[in-house]
Amino acid sequence: MEATETRVAIIGIIVEDDSSVEELNALLHEYGRYIIGRMGIPYHKKGINVISIAVDAPQDVISALSGKVGKLEGISTKTAYSKVTSQ
């Protein structure tokens, strides 16, 4: 069986509307096996939450997660990929 190539990436998430937080957490749970770490910072002054998700996953999995998160109401996301790949 051939090993799947993975990449390390950071998915930056800004939550401006709490109405989608339950869906966001469900997605993160669904992709949990790929998540290396997660850091959430509530920014009370602006009424938002800033979340950083570090992942190690195949390119298509990272894109799928980022795309699904980005479609949630009141949530913005951006992904930065490392140039390093591994098997």
Side-chain angles (χ1 to χ4, degrees):
M1 184 173 162
E2 186 178 314
T4 304
E5 188 175 86
T6 65
R7 293 179 78 179
V8 173
I10 297 290
I11 302 173
I13 302 167
I14 297 179
V15 179
E16 298 173 349
D17 181 355
D18 289 344
S19 66
S20 295
V21 168
E22 197 171 315
E23 290 175 87
L24 172 61
N25 284 327
L27 278 172
L28 296 178
H29 179 74
E30 179 183 338
Y31 286 85
R33 69 175 181 242
Y34 302 107
I35 295 175
I36 301 167
R38 171 181 175 171
M39 178 179 65
I41 304 167
Y43 189 18
H44 300 293
K45 182 178 178 182
K46 299 284 184 175
I48 63 172
N49 292 291
V50 181
I51 303 170
S52 175
I53 308 291
V55 295
D56 184 0
Q59 175 80 40
D60 60 333
V61 171
I62 298 169
S63 296
L65 174 57
S66 183
K68 289 176 183 179
V69 170
K71 289 180 182 176
L72 297 175
E73 188 70 32
I75 296 181
S76 303
T77 185
K78 200 62 132 170
T79 305
Y81 296 90
S82 72
K83 294 178 182 171
V84 177
T85 59
S86 63
Q87 298 215 17

